[in-house]
Short mmCIF file of all heavy atoms in Angstrom, two decimals:
data_model
loop_
_atom_site.label_atom_id
_atom_site.label_comp_id
_atom_site.label_asym_id
_atom_site.label_seq_id
_atom_site.Cartn_x
_atom_site.Cartn_y
_atom_site.Cartn_z
N MET A 379 -110.13 1.90 47.20
CA MET A 379 -108.82 1.94 46.57
C MET A 379 -108.23 3.34 46.73
O MET A 379 -108.92 4.33 46.49
CB MET A 379 -108.95 1.59 45.09
CG MET A 379 -107.63 1.68 44.36
SD MET A 379 -107.67 0.95 42.72
CE MET A 379 -108.31 2.30 41.77
N ASN A 380 -106.98 3.43 47.13
CA ASN A 380 -106.28 4.71 47.24
C ASN A 380 -105.55 5.01 45.95
O ASN A 380 -104.89 4.14 45.39
CB ASN A 380 -105.28 4.68 48.39
CG ASN A 380 -105.95 4.56 49.74
OD1 ASN A 380 -107.02 5.10 49.94
ND2 ASN A 380 -105.34 3.85 50.65
N VAL A 381 -105.68 6.23 45.49
CA VAL A 381 -104.99 6.67 44.28
C VAL A 381 -104.05 7.80 44.66
O VAL A 381 -104.46 8.76 45.32
CB VAL A 381 -105.99 7.14 43.20
CG1 VAL A 381 -105.26 7.65 41.97
CG2 VAL A 381 -106.95 6.02 42.85
N PHE A 382 -102.81 7.68 44.25
CA PHE A 382 -101.79 8.69 44.54
C PHE A 382 -101.25 9.26 43.24
O PHE A 382 -101.28 8.61 42.21
CB PHE A 382 -100.63 8.08 45.34
CG PHE A 382 -101.02 7.64 46.72
CD1 PHE A 382 -101.56 6.38 46.95
CD2 PHE A 382 -100.86 8.49 47.79
CE1 PHE A 382 -101.92 5.97 48.20
CE2 PHE A 382 -101.23 8.10 49.06
CZ PHE A 382 -101.76 6.83 49.27
N ALA A 383 -100.74 10.48 43.32
CA ALA A 383 -100.05 11.12 42.19
C ALA A 383 -98.78 11.74 42.72
O ALA A 383 -98.75 12.26 43.84
CB ALA A 383 -100.93 12.18 41.55
N VAL A 384 -97.73 11.68 41.93
CA VAL A 384 -96.46 12.29 42.30
C VAL A 384 -96.31 13.59 41.52
O VAL A 384 -96.40 13.60 40.29
CB VAL A 384 -95.27 11.34 42.01
CG1 VAL A 384 -93.94 12.01 42.35
CG2 VAL A 384 -95.43 10.03 42.78
N ILE A 385 -96.10 14.68 42.25
CA ILE A 385 -95.87 15.99 41.64
C ILE A 385 -94.39 16.29 41.81
O ILE A 385 -93.90 16.42 42.93
CB ILE A 385 -96.71 17.09 42.32
CG1 ILE A 385 -98.20 16.77 42.21
CG2 ILE A 385 -96.39 18.45 41.71
CD1 ILE A 385 -99.08 17.69 43.03
N LEU A 386 -93.68 16.37 40.70
CA LEU A 386 -92.24 16.64 40.74
C LEU A 386 -92.01 18.15 40.80
O LEU A 386 -92.33 18.87 39.86
CB LEU A 386 -91.56 16.04 39.51
CG LEU A 386 -91.74 14.53 39.32
CD1 LEU A 386 -91.02 14.08 38.07
CD2 LEU A 386 -91.27 13.77 40.53
N ALA A 387 -91.46 18.61 41.93
CA ALA A 387 -91.21 20.04 42.13
C ALA A 387 -89.85 20.25 42.77
O ALA A 387 -89.67 21.12 43.61
CB ALA A 387 -92.32 20.65 42.99
N ALA A 388 -88.87 19.43 42.37
CA ALA A 388 -87.56 19.46 43.01
C ALA A 388 -86.48 20.14 42.19
O ALA A 388 -85.43 20.49 42.74
CB ALA A 388 -87.11 18.03 43.33
N GLY A 389 -86.70 20.34 40.91
CA GLY A 389 -85.64 20.79 40.03
C GLY A 389 -85.33 22.27 40.08
O GLY A 389 -85.97 23.06 40.77
N TYR A 390 -84.33 22.63 39.30
CA TYR A 390 -83.84 24.01 39.24
C TYR A 390 -84.66 24.90 38.31
O TYR A 390 -84.59 26.11 38.40
CB TYR A 390 -82.39 24.03 38.72
CG TYR A 390 -81.38 23.39 39.64
CD1 TYR A 390 -80.78 22.19 39.29
CD2 TYR A 390 -81.01 24.00 40.82
CE1 TYR A 390 -79.84 21.61 40.11
CE2 TYR A 390 -80.08 23.43 41.66
CZ TYR A 390 -79.48 22.22 41.29
OH TYR A 390 -78.55 21.66 42.12
N SER A 391 -85.40 24.33 37.39
CA SER A 391 -86.10 25.10 36.34
C SER A 391 -85.12 25.99 35.59
O SER A 391 -85.43 27.11 35.20
CB SER A 391 -87.23 25.95 36.94
OG SER A 391 -88.18 25.18 37.61
N SER A 392 -83.93 25.48 35.36
CA SER A 392 -82.85 26.29 34.79
C SER A 392 -83.14 26.77 33.37
O SER A 392 -82.78 27.89 33.01
CB SER A 392 -81.53 25.53 34.83
OG SER A 392 -81.64 24.29 34.17
N ARG A 393 -83.78 25.97 32.56
CA ARG A 393 -84.08 26.41 31.19
C ARG A 393 -85.15 27.49 31.18
O ARG A 393 -85.18 28.35 30.31
CB ARG A 393 -84.52 25.23 30.33
CG ARG A 393 -83.38 24.26 30.04
CD ARG A 393 -83.88 23.09 29.26
NE ARG A 393 -84.76 22.32 30.17
CZ ARG A 393 -85.43 21.24 29.83
NH1 ARG A 393 -85.37 20.77 28.61
NH2 ARG A 393 -86.18 20.61 30.69
N MET A 394 -86.04 27.47 32.16
CA MET A 394 -87.13 28.45 32.23
C MET A 394 -86.64 29.78 32.79
O MET A 394 -87.16 30.82 32.43
CB MET A 394 -88.24 27.88 33.11
CG MET A 394 -89.46 28.72 33.20
SD MET A 394 -90.44 28.51 31.72
CE MET A 394 -91.93 29.27 32.23
N GLY A 395 -85.67 29.73 33.68
CA GLY A 395 -85.15 30.96 34.27
C GLY A 395 -85.86 31.39 35.54
O GLY A 395 -85.37 32.24 36.27
N VAL A 396 -87.03 30.83 35.80
CA VAL A 396 -87.77 31.06 37.04
C VAL A 396 -88.27 29.71 37.54
O VAL A 396 -88.41 28.78 36.75
CB VAL A 396 -88.96 32.03 36.86
CG1 VAL A 396 -88.49 33.41 36.47
CG2 VAL A 396 -89.94 31.51 35.84
N LEU A 397 -88.53 29.63 38.81
CA LEU A 397 -88.95 28.35 39.39
C LEU A 397 -90.40 28.04 38.98
O LEU A 397 -91.35 28.68 39.46
CB LEU A 397 -88.81 28.38 40.91
CG LEU A 397 -88.83 27.04 41.61
CD1 LEU A 397 -87.72 26.12 41.10
CD2 LEU A 397 -88.71 27.21 43.11
N LYS A 398 -90.57 27.08 38.10
CA LYS A 398 -91.88 26.77 37.52
C LYS A 398 -92.96 26.44 38.55
O LYS A 398 -94.09 26.90 38.40
CB LYS A 398 -91.76 25.64 36.51
CG LYS A 398 -91.07 26.05 35.23
CD LYS A 398 -91.03 24.92 34.23
CE LYS A 398 -89.82 24.05 34.52
NZ LYS A 398 -89.56 23.07 33.47
N PRO A 399 -92.67 25.67 39.60
CA PRO A 399 -93.75 25.35 40.55
C PRO A 399 -94.35 26.58 41.23
O PRO A 399 -95.47 26.53 41.71
CB PRO A 399 -93.07 24.45 41.58
CG PRO A 399 -91.90 23.86 40.86
CD PRO A 399 -91.45 24.93 39.90
N LEU A 400 -93.60 27.67 41.25
CA LEU A 400 -94.09 28.88 41.92
C LEU A 400 -94.75 29.87 40.97
O LEU A 400 -95.29 30.89 41.41
CB LEU A 400 -92.94 29.57 42.67
CG LEU A 400 -92.32 28.75 43.80
CD1 LEU A 400 -91.21 29.54 44.46
CD2 LEU A 400 -93.36 28.32 44.82
N LEU A 401 -94.74 29.58 39.67
CA LEU A 401 -95.40 30.47 38.72
C LEU A 401 -96.90 30.50 38.98
O LEU A 401 -97.52 29.45 39.22
CB LEU A 401 -95.15 30.01 37.28
CG LEU A 401 -93.76 30.27 36.73
CD1 LEU A 401 -93.61 29.62 35.36
CD2 LEU A 401 -93.48 31.76 36.65
N PRO A 402 -97.50 31.68 38.95
CA PRO A 402 -98.93 31.75 39.24
C PRO A 402 -99.79 31.23 38.09
O PRO A 402 -99.55 31.52 36.93
CB PRO A 402 -99.17 33.24 39.47
CG PRO A 402 -98.07 33.93 38.73
CD PRO A 402 -96.90 32.99 38.75
N VAL A 403 -100.78 30.45 38.45
CA VAL A 403 -101.81 29.98 37.52
C VAL A 403 -103.14 30.38 38.14
O VAL A 403 -103.52 29.85 39.19
CB VAL A 403 -101.74 28.45 37.32
CG1 VAL A 403 -102.87 27.97 36.42
CG2 VAL A 403 -100.39 28.02 36.78
N GLY A 404 -103.77 31.37 37.55
CA GLY A 404 -105.00 31.87 38.14
C GLY A 404 -104.78 32.48 39.51
O GLY A 404 -105.64 32.37 40.38
N GLY A 405 -103.61 33.05 39.73
CA GLY A 405 -103.31 33.69 41.00
C GLY A 405 -102.81 32.77 42.09
O GLY A 405 -102.59 33.20 43.22
N VAL A 406 -102.62 31.50 41.76
CA VAL A 406 -102.18 30.50 42.74
C VAL A 406 -100.91 29.84 42.20
O VAL A 406 -100.85 29.54 41.00
CB VAL A 406 -103.28 29.42 42.95
CG1 VAL A 406 -102.84 28.34 43.92
CG2 VAL A 406 -104.57 30.06 43.41
N PRO A 407 -99.90 29.60 43.04
CA PRO A 407 -98.71 28.91 42.55
C PRO A 407 -99.08 27.58 41.87
O PRO A 407 -99.95 26.85 42.37
CB PRO A 407 -97.88 28.67 43.82
CG PRO A 407 -98.33 29.73 44.76
CD PRO A 407 -99.80 29.93 44.47
N ALA A 408 -98.43 27.29 40.76
CA ALA A 408 -98.76 26.10 39.97
C ALA A 408 -98.75 24.82 40.80
O ALA A 408 -99.64 23.98 40.65
CB ALA A 408 -97.79 25.98 38.79
N VAL A 409 -97.78 24.67 41.68
CA VAL A 409 -97.69 23.46 42.48
C VAL A 409 -98.90 23.34 43.43
O VAL A 409 -99.44 22.25 43.62
CB VAL A 409 -96.35 23.37 43.25
CG1 VAL A 409 -96.23 24.43 44.33
CG2 VAL A 409 -96.13 21.99 43.81
N ALA A 410 -99.35 24.46 43.98
CA ALA A 410 -100.51 24.44 44.88
C ALA A 410 -101.79 24.18 44.10
O ALA A 410 -102.67 23.44 44.55
CB ALA A 410 -100.60 25.75 45.64
N ARG A 411 -101.91 24.77 42.91
CA ARG A 411 -103.10 24.55 42.08
C ARG A 411 -103.19 23.08 41.68
O ARG A 411 -104.26 22.48 41.73
CB ARG A 411 -103.07 25.42 40.83
CG ARG A 411 -104.30 25.19 39.96
CD ARG A 411 -104.44 26.21 38.86
NE ARG A 411 -104.93 27.49 39.29
CZ ARG A 411 -106.20 27.78 39.55
NH1 ARG A 411 -107.11 26.83 39.50
NH2 ARG A 411 -106.56 28.99 39.88
N THR A 412 -102.06 22.49 41.30
CA THR A 412 -102.04 21.08 40.90
C THR A 412 -102.41 20.18 42.08
O THR A 412 -103.24 19.28 41.95
CB THR A 412 -100.65 20.70 40.36
OG1 THR A 412 -100.35 21.55 39.25
CG2 THR A 412 -100.60 19.25 39.92
N ALA A 413 -101.80 20.42 43.23
CA ALA A 413 -102.08 19.62 44.42
C ALA A 413 -103.54 19.76 44.84
O ALA A 413 -104.20 18.78 45.19
CB ALA A 413 -101.15 20.01 45.56
N GLY A 414 -104.06 20.98 44.79
CA GLY A 414 -105.45 21.20 45.16
C GLY A 414 -106.42 20.52 44.21
O GLY A 414 -107.43 19.95 44.65
N ALA A 415 -106.14 20.57 42.92
CA ALA A 415 -107.01 19.92 41.93
C ALA A 415 -107.01 18.41 42.11
O ALA A 415 -108.07 17.77 42.03
CB ALA A 415 -106.57 20.30 40.52
N LEU A 416 -105.85 17.85 42.36
CA LEU A 416 -105.77 16.40 42.58
C LEU A 416 -106.54 16.00 43.84
O LEU A 416 -107.29 15.02 43.84
CB LEU A 416 -104.31 15.95 42.68
CG LEU A 416 -103.54 15.96 41.36
CD1 LEU A 416 -102.04 15.82 41.61
CD2 LEU A 416 -104.04 14.84 40.45
N THR A 417 -106.35 16.76 44.90
CA THR A 417 -107.04 16.47 46.16
C THR A 417 -108.55 16.54 45.97
O THR A 417 -109.30 15.68 46.44
CB THR A 417 -106.58 17.45 47.26
OG1 THR A 417 -105.16 17.31 47.43
CG2 THR A 417 -107.27 17.17 48.57
N ALA A 418 -109.02 17.58 45.26
CA ALA A 418 -110.45 17.73 45.00
C ALA A 418 -111.01 16.57 44.19
O ALA A 418 -112.19 16.23 44.31
CB ALA A 418 -110.71 19.05 44.28
N ALA A 419 -110.16 15.94 43.39
CA ALA A 419 -110.59 14.81 42.56
C ALA A 419 -110.48 13.47 43.31
O ALA A 419 -110.72 12.41 42.73
CB ALA A 419 -109.75 14.75 41.29
N GLY A 420 -110.07 13.53 44.58
CA GLY A 420 -109.97 12.31 45.36
C GLY A 420 -108.64 11.60 45.25
O GLY A 420 -108.50 10.46 45.68
N VAL A 421 -107.66 12.28 44.68
CA VAL A 421 -106.32 11.72 44.52
C VAL A 421 -105.44 12.28 45.62
O VAL A 421 -105.55 13.45 45.99
CB VAL A 421 -105.74 12.09 43.13
CG1 VAL A 421 -104.32 11.58 42.98
CG2 VAL A 421 -106.63 11.53 42.03
N SER A 422 -104.56 11.45 46.18
CA SER A 422 -103.63 11.89 47.22
C SER A 422 -102.29 12.25 46.59
O SER A 422 -101.54 11.38 46.18
CB SER A 422 -103.42 10.78 48.25
OG SER A 422 -104.63 10.44 48.87
N PRO A 423 -101.99 13.56 46.52
CA PRO A 423 -100.72 13.95 45.91
C PRO A 423 -99.54 13.81 46.87
O PRO A 423 -99.67 14.02 48.07
CB PRO A 423 -100.93 15.41 45.53
CG PRO A 423 -102.00 15.90 46.41
CD PRO A 423 -102.83 14.72 46.81
N VAL A 424 -98.41 13.43 46.29
CA VAL A 424 -97.13 13.43 47.00
C VAL A 424 -96.25 14.41 46.23
O VAL A 424 -95.99 14.22 45.04
CB VAL A 424 -96.48 12.03 47.01
CG1 VAL A 424 -95.12 12.08 47.71
CG2 VAL A 424 -97.40 11.02 47.66
N VAL A 425 -95.83 15.48 46.88
CA VAL A 425 -95.03 16.51 46.23
C VAL A 425 -93.57 16.27 46.56
O VAL A 425 -93.19 16.22 47.74
CB VAL A 425 -95.43 17.93 46.69
CG1 VAL A 425 -94.61 18.98 45.98
CG2 VAL A 425 -96.92 18.16 46.46
N VAL A 426 -92.75 16.08 45.54
CA VAL A 426 -91.32 15.87 45.74
C VAL A 426 -90.62 17.22 45.58
O VAL A 426 -90.72 17.87 44.54
CB VAL A 426 -90.74 14.86 44.73
CG1 VAL A 426 -89.24 14.64 44.98
CG2 VAL A 426 -91.48 13.54 44.81
N THR A 427 -89.94 17.65 46.65
CA THR A 427 -89.23 18.92 46.65
C THR A 427 -87.73 18.67 46.64
O THR A 427 -87.27 17.55 46.84
CB THR A 427 -89.59 19.78 47.87
OG1 THR A 427 -89.13 19.12 49.05
CG2 THR A 427 -91.08 20.02 47.95
N GLY A 428 -87.00 19.74 46.45
CA GLY A 428 -85.54 19.67 46.45
C GLY A 428 -85.01 21.09 46.48
O GLY A 428 -84.92 21.72 47.52
N HIS A 429 -84.72 21.63 45.29
CA HIS A 429 -84.24 23.00 45.16
C HIS A 429 -85.30 23.97 45.68
O HIS A 429 -86.47 23.88 45.29
CB HIS A 429 -83.92 23.27 43.68
CG HIS A 429 -83.44 24.66 43.39
ND1 HIS A 429 -82.27 25.15 43.90
CD2 HIS A 429 -83.98 25.64 42.65
CE1 HIS A 429 -82.10 26.39 43.48
NE2 HIS A 429 -83.14 26.71 42.72
N ARG A 430 -84.91 24.86 46.58
CA ARG A 430 -85.81 25.86 47.18
C ARG A 430 -87.04 25.20 47.81
O ARG A 430 -88.18 25.68 47.71
CB ARG A 430 -86.20 26.91 46.14
CG ARG A 430 -84.98 27.72 45.71
CD ARG A 430 -85.18 28.63 44.55
NE ARG A 430 -86.25 29.61 44.75
CZ ARG A 430 -86.62 30.50 43.83
NH1 ARG A 430 -85.98 30.55 42.68
NH2 ARG A 430 -87.60 31.34 44.07
N ALA A 431 -86.78 24.08 48.51
CA ALA A 431 -87.86 23.29 49.11
C ALA A 431 -88.72 24.11 50.06
O ALA A 431 -89.95 23.95 50.07
CB ALA A 431 -87.27 22.09 49.86
N ALA A 432 -88.13 24.98 50.85
CA ALA A 432 -88.92 25.76 51.82
C ALA A 432 -89.95 26.65 51.12
O ALA A 432 -91.08 26.77 51.59
CB ALA A 432 -87.99 26.60 52.69
N GLU A 433 -89.58 27.22 49.97
CA GLU A 433 -90.50 28.06 49.23
C GLU A 433 -91.64 27.24 48.62
O GLU A 433 -92.80 27.68 48.60
CB GLU A 433 -89.78 28.82 48.12
CG GLU A 433 -88.81 29.86 48.64
CD GLU A 433 -87.98 30.44 47.52
OE1 GLU A 433 -88.54 31.21 46.71
OE2 GLU A 433 -86.78 30.11 47.45
N ILE A 434 -91.31 26.07 48.14
CA ILE A 434 -92.32 25.18 47.56
C ILE A 434 -93.31 24.77 48.66
O ILE A 434 -94.52 24.83 48.47
CB ILE A 434 -91.69 23.93 46.92
CG1 ILE A 434 -90.71 24.30 45.82
CG2 ILE A 434 -92.77 22.96 46.42
CD1 ILE A 434 -91.31 24.90 44.59
N GLU A 435 -92.78 24.37 49.80
CA GLU A 435 -93.65 23.94 50.90
C GLU A 435 -94.52 25.08 51.39
O GLU A 435 -95.70 24.88 51.72
CB GLU A 435 -92.82 23.34 52.02
CG GLU A 435 -92.23 21.99 51.62
CD GLU A 435 -91.44 21.32 52.72
OE1 GLU A 435 -91.80 21.48 53.91
OE2 GLU A 435 -90.45 20.64 52.40
N ALA A 436 -93.99 26.29 51.44
CA ALA A 436 -94.79 27.45 51.85
C ALA A 436 -95.92 27.69 50.85
O ALA A 436 -97.04 28.02 51.24
CB ALA A 436 -93.90 28.68 51.98
N ALA A 437 -95.64 27.52 49.56
CA ALA A 437 -96.66 27.71 48.53
C ALA A 437 -97.77 26.66 48.65
O ALA A 437 -98.92 26.93 48.30
CB ALA A 437 -96.03 27.66 47.14
N LEU A 438 -97.43 25.49 49.15
CA LEU A 438 -98.42 24.42 49.28
C LEU A 438 -99.45 24.70 50.37
O LEU A 438 -100.51 24.08 50.39
CB LEU A 438 -97.72 23.09 49.55
CG LEU A 438 -96.96 22.51 48.37
CD1 LEU A 438 -96.12 21.33 48.81
CD2 LEU A 438 -97.90 22.13 47.24
N ASP A 439 -99.16 25.63 51.26
CA ASP A 439 -100.11 25.96 52.32
C ASP A 439 -101.46 26.38 51.74
O ASP A 439 -102.50 26.11 52.34
CB ASP A 439 -99.56 27.07 53.22
CG ASP A 439 -98.44 26.58 54.12
OD1 ASP A 439 -98.31 25.35 54.29
OD2 ASP A 439 -97.70 27.43 54.64
N SER A 440 -101.45 27.01 50.57
CA SER A 440 -102.71 27.46 49.97
C SER A 440 -103.51 26.31 49.37
O SER A 440 -104.67 26.49 49.01
CB SER A 440 -102.44 28.52 48.91
OG SER A 440 -101.69 27.98 47.84
N ALA A 441 -102.91 25.11 49.28
CA ALA A 441 -103.61 23.96 48.72
C ALA A 441 -104.34 23.17 49.80
O ALA A 441 -105.02 22.20 49.51
CB ALA A 441 -102.63 23.04 47.99
N GLY A 442 -104.22 23.59 51.04
CA GLY A 442 -104.87 22.88 52.13
C GLY A 442 -103.92 21.93 52.81
O GLY A 442 -102.80 21.71 52.36
N GLY A 443 -104.34 21.39 53.91
CA GLY A 443 -103.49 20.51 54.70
C GLY A 443 -103.52 19.08 54.22
O GLY A 443 -104.22 18.73 53.28
N GLY A 444 -102.75 18.26 54.87
CA GLY A 444 -102.74 16.85 54.59
C GLY A 444 -101.93 16.41 53.39
O GLY A 444 -102.02 15.26 52.98
N LEU A 445 -101.15 17.31 52.82
CA LEU A 445 -100.33 16.92 51.67
C LEU A 445 -99.08 16.20 52.13
O LEU A 445 -98.47 16.56 53.13
CB LEU A 445 -99.94 18.15 50.85
CG LEU A 445 -101.07 18.88 50.16
CD1 LEU A 445 -100.54 20.13 49.48
CD2 LEU A 445 -101.74 17.99 49.13
N ARG A 446 -98.70 15.21 51.38
CA ARG A 446 -97.45 14.50 51.66
C ARG A 446 -96.35 15.17 50.86
O ARG A 446 -96.50 15.42 49.67
CB ARG A 446 -97.56 13.04 51.27
CG ARG A 446 -98.57 12.30 52.08
CD ARG A 446 -98.71 10.89 51.58
NE ARG A 446 -99.83 10.27 52.25
CZ ARG A 446 -99.85 9.00 52.61
NH1 ARG A 446 -98.85 8.21 52.32
NH2 ARG A 446 -100.91 8.51 53.22
N VAL A 447 -95.25 15.44 51.54
CA VAL A 447 -94.10 16.07 50.89
C VAL A 447 -92.89 15.17 51.14
O VAL A 447 -92.67 14.71 52.25
CB VAL A 447 -93.84 17.48 51.46
CG1 VAL A 447 -92.59 18.09 50.84
CG2 VAL A 447 -95.04 18.38 51.22
N ALA A 448 -92.13 14.93 50.08
CA ALA A 448 -90.91 14.14 50.17
C ALA A 448 -89.76 15.00 49.66
O ALA A 448 -89.88 15.62 48.59
CB ALA A 448 -91.03 12.86 49.35
N TYR A 449 -88.67 15.06 50.40
CA TYR A 449 -87.51 15.84 49.99
C TYR A 449 -86.52 14.94 49.28
O TYR A 449 -86.12 13.90 49.81
CB TYR A 449 -86.86 16.50 51.20
CG TYR A 449 -85.61 17.27 50.84
CD1 TYR A 449 -85.70 18.51 50.23
CD2 TYR A 449 -84.35 16.75 51.09
CE1 TYR A 449 -84.57 19.22 49.87
CE2 TYR A 449 -83.21 17.45 50.74
CZ TYR A 449 -83.32 18.67 50.14
OH TYR A 449 -82.20 19.37 49.78
N ASN A 450 -86.11 15.33 48.09
CA ASN A 450 -85.09 14.60 47.33
C ASN A 450 -83.77 15.34 47.49
O ASN A 450 -83.55 16.38 46.87
CB ASN A 450 -85.48 14.52 45.85
CG ASN A 450 -84.40 13.89 45.01
OD1 ASN A 450 -83.42 13.35 45.52
ND2 ASN A 450 -84.57 13.95 43.70
N GLY A 451 -82.91 14.83 48.32
CA GLY A 451 -81.60 15.44 48.54
C GLY A 451 -80.67 15.33 47.35
O GLY A 451 -79.64 15.99 47.30
N ARG A 452 -81.04 14.52 46.38
CA ARG A 452 -80.22 14.34 45.17
C ARG A 452 -80.86 15.00 43.96
O ARG A 452 -80.65 14.57 42.83
CB ARG A 452 -80.01 12.85 44.92
CG ARG A 452 -79.20 12.18 46.04
CD ARG A 452 -78.96 10.73 45.78
NE ARG A 452 -78.37 10.56 44.45
CZ ARG A 452 -78.29 9.40 43.82
NH1 ARG A 452 -78.77 8.32 44.38
NH2 ARG A 452 -77.74 9.32 42.64
N TYR A 453 -81.65 16.06 44.17
CA TYR A 453 -82.35 16.71 43.07
C TYR A 453 -81.42 17.22 41.99
O TYR A 453 -81.80 17.32 40.84
CB TYR A 453 -83.26 17.84 43.58
CG TYR A 453 -82.53 18.97 44.27
CD1 TYR A 453 -82.02 20.03 43.56
CD2 TYR A 453 -82.37 18.95 45.65
CE1 TYR A 453 -81.36 21.06 44.21
CE2 TYR A 453 -81.72 19.97 46.31
CZ TYR A 453 -81.21 21.03 45.59
OH TYR A 453 -80.55 22.04 46.22
N GLY A 454 -80.18 17.50 42.32
CA GLY A 454 -79.20 17.95 41.35
C GLY A 454 -78.83 16.89 40.33
O GLY A 454 -78.26 17.20 39.27
N ASP A 455 -79.20 15.63 40.60
CA ASP A 455 -78.91 14.53 39.68
C ASP A 455 -79.92 14.44 38.53
O ASP A 455 -79.78 13.60 37.66
CB ASP A 455 -78.89 13.19 40.42
CG ASP A 455 -77.70 13.05 41.35
OD1 ASP A 455 -76.75 13.85 41.24
OD2 ASP A 455 -77.72 12.14 42.21
N GLY A 456 -80.94 15.28 38.58
CA GLY A 456 -81.92 15.28 37.50
C GLY A 456 -83.28 14.78 37.93
O GLY A 456 -83.47 14.25 39.01
N MET A 457 -84.26 14.95 37.01
CA MET A 457 -85.65 14.66 37.30
C MET A 457 -85.87 13.20 37.74
O MET A 457 -86.66 12.95 38.63
CB MET A 457 -86.50 14.94 36.06
CG MET A 457 -87.95 14.61 36.24
SD MET A 457 -89.04 15.05 34.87
CE MET A 457 -88.16 14.55 33.43
N PHE A 458 -85.18 12.27 37.13
CA PHE A 458 -85.46 10.87 37.44
C PHE A 458 -85.00 10.47 38.83
O PHE A 458 -85.46 9.46 39.36
CB PHE A 458 -84.89 9.95 36.35
CG PHE A 458 -85.66 10.10 35.08
CD1 PHE A 458 -85.11 10.76 33.99
CD2 PHE A 458 -86.96 9.63 34.98
CE1 PHE A 458 -85.83 10.93 32.82
CE2 PHE A 458 -87.69 9.78 33.81
CZ PHE A 458 -87.12 10.44 32.73
N SER A 459 -84.16 11.29 39.47
CA SER A 459 -83.81 10.99 40.86
C SER A 459 -85.01 11.26 41.76
O SER A 459 -85.09 10.70 42.86
CB SER A 459 -82.60 11.83 41.31
OG SER A 459 -82.95 13.20 41.43
N SER A 460 -85.94 12.08 41.33
CA SER A 460 -87.16 12.35 42.11
C SER A 460 -88.19 11.25 41.93
O SER A 460 -89.02 11.02 42.81
CB SER A 460 -87.79 13.68 41.70
OG SER A 460 -86.99 14.76 42.08
N VAL A 461 -88.15 10.59 40.80
CA VAL A 461 -89.11 9.53 40.55
C VAL A 461 -88.72 8.31 41.37
O VAL A 461 -89.49 7.70 42.02
CB VAL A 461 -89.17 9.15 39.05
CG1 VAL A 461 -90.07 7.97 38.81
CG2 VAL A 461 -89.62 10.35 38.24
#
């Protein structure tokens, strides 16, 4: 059985003031740490990007290869447009 997880990393993080997926957790961007932990657990993550997608994708390089990335061109419509 294949198990997948969706990591939402498309938004503006406007209330936080900084882009949350790129915040370091143990020296690793949060989005990469999350993707790496899921992969290590046998789960296939799908990372949804949007705002600053190139930076998010670059940060994912530290999580290893084989990650699925989906770009949400309507990320400005809110979180549920990524779901």
